[in-house]
Amino acid sequence: MTAKQPPTQPLRLRTGRRTVTINRPEKTLFPEDGITKADLAAYYRRVARWMLPHLRGRPLMLERHPDGIDGPAFMQKNVPDHYPDWFHRVELPKQGGTVTYPTCDDTASLLHLADQACITPHRFLSKADRPDHPDRLVFDLDPPGEDFALVRAAAHALHELLDELELPSQVMTTGSRGLHVVVALDRRSSFDEVRSFARAAADVLAARNPDRFTTEPRKQARRGRLYLDIQRNAYAQTAVAPYALRARPGAPVAAPLAWADLDDPELTARRWTLTTVDRLLKENPWQDPPRPRSLGKARRLLAAMRA
C-alpha cells in the first residue's frame, strides 16, 4: 500500500508590511495547464504594479473557483467574516439593504484573493466614494459566432466614432470572447446619464453599419450581427479588470492593447496568457492613459449627428 503524501505546507509570501498565507499552494486550478494556486498567487504578485491602479478604491465582484476551473464556481460580493482585518471593504446600498464589497488596494489584498481561489476579479465602473457616478464607460463587443474579425472591425468603428465625439478611448481583450472599449470619465455624470449616452452612441454606430452591428438585445433578432452591448454601464454592474486571469484553458489574460494591435489578423480575445504576460507588461500599452473627460461636449456632438 502506497503511503499518503503529507499535505504541502502553506506558502507564506511577504509583501510590504504584510505576510500573506497561501493555503494548499499545490492545488491545481487549471488542470490542462498544470497551473496551481501558487502559480496564481505568483502571477498576481507579478502584475500587481500594473493591475492595482485599475482596482484601487473600486468595489469588486470575485469569481472564485475553489476546485479549479473544471469544478463549481461562484460569484462573491459580500466579504466573509474570516477575511483579515486589514483587507479593505466598503458597504454600499442595495434594494432592501446593503452589501459589503471587497476592494483591492495593495499587493497583499491581491494575494489574499488568490488564496481564496479568486481567479478573476470583476470591478465596478465607479469608485466606492461616488458609486453612482462612474469614471469608466465600457462598450462590450463579443462576436456572434467565431468571427473575431467582426469584433476588431466594431472596435475600430467605435474608436473612430468616439474620436469624432472628442472622447479618447482605450481597448482591451476580455480574455474570454471579445473586446472592451473603455472611456475615462470625470465622474460628473450619473450612471443613468452615462448609459443613455452609450446607448445613443451605439445607435449611431449601428445605423452607420446596419448589416454588421446592432443594438438589438434579443439574440434571435440580431441575425449574425455583432451586438453593441452597453449594459455594463449601471450601478453595481461590473467588468473584468485589466490584467485579470480568466477561468479558461491556457489561463488567458484580460489584456490592455494599443489601437494598432487591432490590425493584427491573428489577434483574439485570448491572445495573452499567464505564460506570455511578461511581454505584455514590457509593452505596457496603457502607460499613457487619457485624461478623464466630461460627456457634456460629446452629448452635443452626438445630438448633432442624430439630428
Side-chain angles (χ1 to χ4, degrees), residues 137-304:
L137 182 161
V138 171
F139 295 89
D140 187 7
L141 309 175
D142 281 343
E146 298 301 321
D147 183 9
F148 201 77
L150 184 59
V151 182
R152 293 190 294 112
H156 268 313
L158 185 55
H159 182 207
E160 292 173 5
L161 173 61
L162 292 170
D163 279 353
E164 291 176 49
L165 298 174
E166 300 184 17
L167 290 176
S169 57
Q170 297 174 296
V171 63
M172 61 179 280
T173 70
T174 63
S176 179
R177 298 188 67 243
L179 298 172
H180 283 174
V181 174
V182 183
V183 177
L185 302 177
D186 63 2
R187 306 208 292 176
R188 294 183 184 180
S189 298
S190 68
F191 264 116
D192 286 345
E193 292 168 328
V194 170
R195 187 170 61 254
S196 177
F197 172 84
R199 183 179 295 112
D203 286 340
V204 167
L205 192 59
R208 289 179 175 182
N209 304 269
D211 296 330
R212 307 182 80 187
F213 313 139
T214 180
T215 57
E216 176 56 65
R218 296 173 300 155
K219 289 186 178 180
Q220 63 270 27
R222 296 177 193 168
R223 301 191 303 276
R225 295 172 295 173
L226 183 142
Y227 174 46
L228 302 170
D229 187 354
I230 56 88
Q231 298 304 318
R232 296 182 185 277
N233 299 287
Y235 177 77
Q237 295 297 306
T238 60
V240 63
Y243 300 103
L245 287 182
R246 302 311 302 267
R248 287 176 170 263
V253 173
L257 301 176
W259 280 108
D261 293 333
L262 295 188
D263 297 329
D264 182 354
E266 301 300 317
L267 178 69
T268 70
R270 298 186 287 279
R271 165 74 171 273
W272 297 100
T273 70
L274 178 149
T275 58
T276 62
V277 75
D278 280 351
R279 180 181 159 197
L280 174 66
L281 300 180
K282 184 177 180 180
E283 293 181 2
N284 194 13
W286 285 11
Q287 60 185 315
D288 295 312
R291 176 177 58 85
R293 300 299 176 97
S294 166
L295 287 181
K297 185 174 183 180
R299 284 195 194 97
R300 295 191 294 273
L301 292 170
L302 187 60

Side-chain angles (χ1 to χ4, degrees), residues 72-91:
F74 63 96
M75 301 295 288
Q76 176 185 316
K77 53 186 176 180
N78 268 304
V79 176
D81 292 339
H82 64 77
Y83 273 38
D85 291 342
W86 52 261
F87 191 95
H88 294 173
R89 58 267 275 170
V90 59
E91 187 174 359

